[in-house]
Amino acid sequence: MASRRGRSRRWLELAVEADPEAVEAVTEILSRVAPGGISVEPGFELIEDGLAARVDTSRPATVRGYVPATEAGATATATRTVEEALGHLQAFGLRPIGDLRTRFVEEADWAEAWKSHFHVLHLGRRLVIKPSWRRHRRTGNEVVIDLDPGMAFGTGLHPTTRLCLQALEDRAERGPLGRTLDVGCGSGILSIAAVRLGATRALGFDIDPIAIDATIANARHNRVGRRIRAREGSIPTDEGPFDLVLANLIAGVLVEIAPDLAAELVPDGTLIASGIFIDREPETRQALERAGFRIIGRYHESDWVALDAVRGS
């Protein structure tokens, strides 16, 4: 995109390495000054001769923010603001947080620059998340999902999504998934994974119309468009009951809608609930149990938890 003067616009990239449990705090700091957006690259190990990656939660994640470099004074202020805030955070010494790194990126190169941070990602035993511009040759019984990071939330990079996918893969090992409801479908990654793992049909719900468009586009791109529908809105859907409900939300929402989630399920149906910050796990469990769920599985990564629950008959 050219400026009025015919020159390519520049961005200041701010990058910080942080322990996975400090990512949320660092993201909040960068978001104060970075209208160009935030990206989080989890710690990973490269495999397949450097062409793919596997998440390694023992390694630090990298948080990046982008500031328009229109005025030297503005970028200097942004850099100083972030350095001071990081300094306060580092002073607590709770979790390792690296120093701020900066570089300028031309907008003409920006699209390719951020793409370099996304690799083919191996999750669990079978699931593979492949950015659309990367190549990957499927082997064995791998389930490959082709996505475009940035279209909507849910690329498999965030711990809450990874936990949900792990629980979904385990649920598929126990038996047929049946009809699936994806509440807060985002990019459609969970709906696509469910269908690829054996669900007969999937219905995605989200309050964001952009997420609905992204889910439909990604489903078609992955050649499962006929088995996945997406609608704007939230539960109740008036289309239940379902055999499986996927709810990658936040703890407060899960607590509030727990009875509605139960009402969407058949007796003995499965709920996979993710997006639960570890401090909110007890109240989330209590809300689900009051709604008639029995917790049968727990998944944990850094500060996040996902729960596998069965609705009582």
Side-chain angles (χ1 to χ4, degrees):
M1 181 183 297
S3 69
R4 292 181 180 180
R5 297 182 181 180
R7 291 184 297 180
S8 175
R9 190 177 184 184
R10 302 178 78 205
W11 295 84
L12 175 68
E13 180 186 85
L14 307 171
V16 181
E17 286 193 353
D19 182 272
E21 296 189 16
V23 164
E24 292 295 312
V26 173
T27 298
E28 194 279 327
I29 289 173
L30 290 185
S31 66
R32 300 174 193 170
V33 301
I38 304 293
S39 70
V40 179
E41 177 186 291
F44 59 85
E45 60 172 331
L46 292 176
I47 58 178
E48 297 180 7
D49 296 325
L51 298 177
R54 189 182 301 278
V55 173
D56 183 352
T57 56
S58 68
R59 303 187 185 194
T62 302
V63 185
R64 294 181 175 85
Y66 294 90
V67 181
T70 52
E71 297 180 6
T75 54
T77 299
T79 301
R80 186 168 57 253
T81 298
V82 171
E83 286 179 332
E84 290 176 357
L86 288 175
H88 293 312
L89 198 59
Q90 292 164 334
F92 286 103
L94 299 178
R95 294 290 175 183
I97 299 173
D99 294 328
L100 176 66
R101 305 193 310 270
T102 63
R103 66 166 181 156
F104 288 98
V105 181
E106 298 292 337
E107 185 159 310
D109 301 323
W110 191 23
E112 297 305 318
W114 72 263
K115 282 183 178 181
S116 68
H117 304 315
F118 290 89
H119 300 271
V120 176
L121 192 62
H122 292 251
L123 302 173
R125 296 176 297 279
R126 299 174 57 196
L127 290 170
V128 177
I129 312 300
K130 185 185 82 66
S132 58
W133 58 88
R134 297 281 189 185
R135 293 184 177 182
H136 175 73
R137 179 174 295 179
R138 187 175 68 87
T139 60
N141 62 348
E142 285 183 343
V143 175
V144 180
I145 301 174
D146 197 297
L147 284 184
D148 217 341
M151 291 183 69
F153 293 109
T155 61
L157 294 179
H158 196 278
T160 61
T161 310
R162 295 201 297 270
L163 291 172
C164 214
L165 288 167
Q166 183 181 351
L168 178 59
E169 187 178 32
D170 287 347
R171 171 60 186 81
E173 294 291 328
R174 300 201 300 264
L177 298 180
R179 292 184 69 228
T180 298
L181 172 65
D182 183 2
V183 183
C185 54
S187 66
I189 184 173
L190 298 180
S191 294
I192 297 168
V195 168
R196 285 288 180 82
L197 288 168
T200 54
R201 292 282 190 275
L203 172 64
F205 259 60
D206 204 295
I207 60 174
D208 187 349
I210 296 176
I212 300 305
D213 292 341
T215 294
I216 293 171
N218 280 325
R220 289 174 177 169
H221 184 65
N222 282 272
R223 301 181 181 179
V224 290
R226 293 184 179 181
R227 295 166 62 189
I228 294 176
R229 292 190 298 116
R231 285 176 45 194
E232 186 176 350
S234 187
I235 55 175
T237 65
D238 297 323
E239 295 198 37
F242 297 87
D243 302 289
L244 170 67
V245 172
L246 306 169
N248 185 14
L249 303 169
I250 59 174
V253 174
L254 291 170
V255 168
E256 181 181 350
I257 67 173
D260 295 320
L261 292 171
E264 295 288 348
L265 280 165
V266 299
D268 296 323
T270 300
L271 168 69
I272 295 175
S274 190
I276 306 165
F277 197 71
I278 197 166
D279 290 345
R280 306 288 302 274
E281 182 183 357
E283 65 179 291
T284 306
R285 280 177 171 266
Q286 291 170 8
L288 293 177
E289 289 168 351
R290 285 196 301 269
F293 285 103
R294 177 168 52 91
I295 311 298
I296 63 170
R298 178 183 186 272
Y299 299 81
H300 170 243
E301 181 180 329
S302 62
D303 282 335
W304 299 100
V305 171
L307 297 174
D308 184 353
V310 173
R311 181 195 165 187
S313 56

